[in-house]
Amino acid sequence: MSATTGLGEAVVGVGDGSGSSVAVQPAINATDSSGAAQQRALAGRRERPVVRAGASTAAGTRPLYDPYLATPYAERVLGRDLSTLLPRLRDALDGGPPLMLGTTAQRVGEQVAEHPRTALVLGTSGSTSGTGRAVALSADALLTSAAATHARLAGPGQWLLTLPPDHVAGIQVLIRSLAAGVEPESTPDGRFDPAELAAAVVRMRADLPRYVSLVPTQLMRLLGPGHSEPDAEVALAALRTCAAVLIGGAATPAALLVRARSAGVPVVTTYGMTETCGGCVYDGVPLDDVLVRLGEGGRIEISGPVLAEAYLQETADDPSNGAVLISEFVTENGRRWLRTTDSGAWADEKLVVHGRLDDVLVTGGVNVHPGEVERRLSGTPGLAECVVVGVPDPTWGDLVTAVIVGSATLADLRTRAGGGPHAPRAMVRMPELPRRGPGKVDRLMAASLAAQAVADGSAEVHGAST
């Protein structure tokens, strides 16, 4: 079955035997007042029926998706060719078969039938635990998130895809585009290229707000010491024409944000996760209808209409065996909350995220959070990137170790940290940090590499004889 891929009024359907039907999606006027277009999209969307095998339907009608009969779309996203993905994503949001993106999602296809509201299944990055979890997301939650984003920013506009669409930050760019009724732009697949970024921004419409979503690593390659690219200034000039440049997926060094804003780039920091349909706290302030509270030990807990339906996990890979701290959904007084694995605090009525609760290091009997050390080190001359990990040590317990990219020395880092337990006692220099997912540092791998470097003597250790 043929299907148009434009984002105005279009007949959408994919004839692959999945049981999906043809639907007309009205074009949405992207110049409407903030949030109004998305609310109409929500109101006009097909209801997802829950019809068991053998059940009858009203005469002349049939269910658009029977979760007990139809097969969810399993997609391996190759590059950023959106000609197939966009129609299938639209169909999933409109009540068709769920879209399963990424290998983690595809392993749990049989569980989708247990959650008939599911429109999209994504895998989490597993950047700290090493194990990604499949997350079921409803169309209501995804579109509500898109509407809240546009309401917080300058209203519906055109989005630029620079991130993999099988991760939540990338797919949300496409969902916001569908909600706005405006075709997205995209950069080519492969290594981040500032020249390609600039060219893509220039191709974007000038009559609508321009939006880009980046991860800190990409911004670092435009502004970071020792990491600047030849075409960085051209890319920065293009980013200045955007209404907002969202930065998320990992903690952004404060010094990098200062440099970006000084350069005229309208950066907006975001905090969220796959389980919240992506960013739900912008510049420390929750989006509309999103509630954030701090639980025991400063544990960040989130509630609101952007929460996922459930985790879908193969029993053999279920991380809820107590070996690692995991996020979980709980219901209290009729309200669902997501208990994240992150800790935070309120400062001037804004949420400050410290990092994962189970990342805390115990060094010399003192609790030290790596995120706090990383914040203190931000802005060190010659420091491009840094992740702080603990290396087992018979004297200190956890040897606070900075794994860095750049020319900074251990003495530089200790001075910047202000001494005391937050000052790194070891440093490992690398050409680049190990990563898992877009923009996320693989802390497990970084800790392993640091331990190896300390053991073989290639790390610089404070007080060690030379």
Side-chain angles (χ1 to χ4, degrees):
M1 182 184 298
S2 61
T4 63
T5 59
L7 302 182
E9 182 152 326
V11 178
V12 178
V14 181
D16 62 352
S18 64
S20 60
S21 67
V22 177
V24 176
Q25 175 77 14
I28 300 172
N29 184 352
T31 62
D32 281 357
S33 61
S34 179
Q38 291 94 329
Q39 291 303 319
R40 285 201 300 278
L42 279 167
R45 187 171 51 80
R46 294 175 287 175
E47 288 296 320
R48 186 181 300 278
V50 183
V51 182
R52 294 185 180 275
S56 61
T57 59
T61 65
R62 66 184 180 89
L64 296 171
Y65 167 52
D66 181 342
Y68 294 87
L69 296 177
T71 301
Y73 289 134
E75 285 291 323
R76 287 186 181 273
V77 180
L78 300 177
R80 298 194 182 120
D81 179 6
L82 306 180
S83 60
T84 299
L85 181 58
L86 271 173
R88 289 193 169 187
L89 176 60
R90 186 209 301 269
D91 193 48
L93 294 173
D94 198 35
L99 194 58
M100 318 283 287
L101 293 181
T103 56
T104 299
Q106 291 167 23
R107 289 200 302 264
V108 296
E110 294 181 358
Q111 295 188 32
V112 176
E114 301 171 15
H115 302 277
R117 285 167 42 87
T118 301
L120 176 68
V121 180
L122 294 174
T124 63
S125 66
S127 58
T128 301
S129 67
T131 303
R133 303 172 74 187
V135 179
L137 301 165
S138 72
D140 285 341
L142 292 162
L143 291 171
T144 296
S145 173
T149 291
H150 287 150
R152 178 61 56 86
L153 302 178
Q158 187 177 28
W159 287 84
L160 170 61
L161 178 66
T162 69
L163 302 170
D166 54 352
H167 291 268
V168 69
I171 201 68
Q172 266 294 9
V173 165
L174 303 184
I175 292 169
R176 294 168 192 148
S177 299
L178 289 170
V182 181
E183 187 164 1
E185 252 307 336
S186 65
T187 56
D189 193 34
R191 187 180 186 276
F192 176 70
D193 185 336
E196 294 287 359
L197 173 66
V201 173
V202 169
R203 292 194 299 269
M204 298 176 76
R205 292 173 55 172
D207 60 331
L208 294 173
R210 293 174 172 178
Y211 299 119
V212 183
S213 187
L214 301 175
V215 294
T217 303
Q218 293 170 317
L219 192 61
M220 182 73 72
R221 287 175 179 163
L222 302 179
L223 290 161
H227 249 71
S228 58
E229 301 277 359
D231 298 308
E233 185 51 46
V234 176
L236 291 173
L239 292 179
R240 292 186 195 106
T241 71
C242 295
V245 177
L246 304 188
I247 306 294
T252 307
L256 179 60
L257 293 174
V258 170
R259 289 197 295 272
R261 288 167 177 149
S262 297
V265 179
V267 291
V268 176
T269 62
T270 69
Y271 169 72
M273 53 214 69
T274 306
E275 296 91 323
T276 60
C277 295
C280 62
V281 177
Y282 282 24
D283 283 338
V285 180
L287 295 179
D288 292 347
D289 298 323
V290 172
L291 301 179
V292 177
R293 70 183 184 186
L294 300 180
E296 183 178 356
R299 187 173 188 173
I300 298 173
E301 301 182 358
I302 302 171
S303 182
V306 298
L307 291 190
E309 293 292 291
Y311 288 109
L312 309 178
Q313 192 70 40
E314 291 179 307
T315 302
D317 295 334
D318 190 348
S320 60
N321 55 15
V324 295
L325 181 69
I326 62 168
S327 299
E328 59 182 348
F329 293 103
V330 298
T331 301
E332 295 180 3
N333 300 320
R335 174 177 286 276
R336 291 180 75 230
W337 290 87
L338 171 68
R339 288 179 177 164
T340 74
T341 56
D342 296 325
S343 66
W346 294 104
D348 299 325
E349 300 184 345
K350 293 186 176 182
L351 180 67
V352 177
V353 181
H354 292 158
R356 281 185 60 102
L357 284 162
D358 54 1
D359 280 347
V360 174
L361 309 177
V362 181
T363 182
V366 179
N367 289 349
V368 172
H369 204 295
E372 176 59 25
V373 180
E374 291 162 7
R375 276 187 288 276
R376 293 189 182 200
L377 299 181
S378 175
T380 303
L383 180 64
E385 293 184 274
C386 174
V387 60
V388 173
V389 299
V391 172
D393 182 85
T395 301
W396 295 97
D398 285 320
L399 189 70
V400 178
T401 304
V403 182
I404 76 160
V405 175
S407 60
T409 65
L410 178 58
D412 295 333
L413 300 183
R414 290 181 57 79
T415 299
R416 185 75 178 190
H422 287 83
R425 301 194 67 84
M427 186 191 78
V428 178
R429 197 185 314 277
M430 302 184 66
E432 60 182 9
L433 298 181
R435 300 196 182 274
R436 183 185 182 99
K440 292 185 180 293
V441 175
D442 189 336
R443 287 184 177 271
L444 288 177
M445 179 58 71
S448 176
L449 294 171
Q452 180 179 340
V454 170
D456 65 21
S458 61
E460 185 178 354
V461 180
H462 177 68
S465 59
T466 57

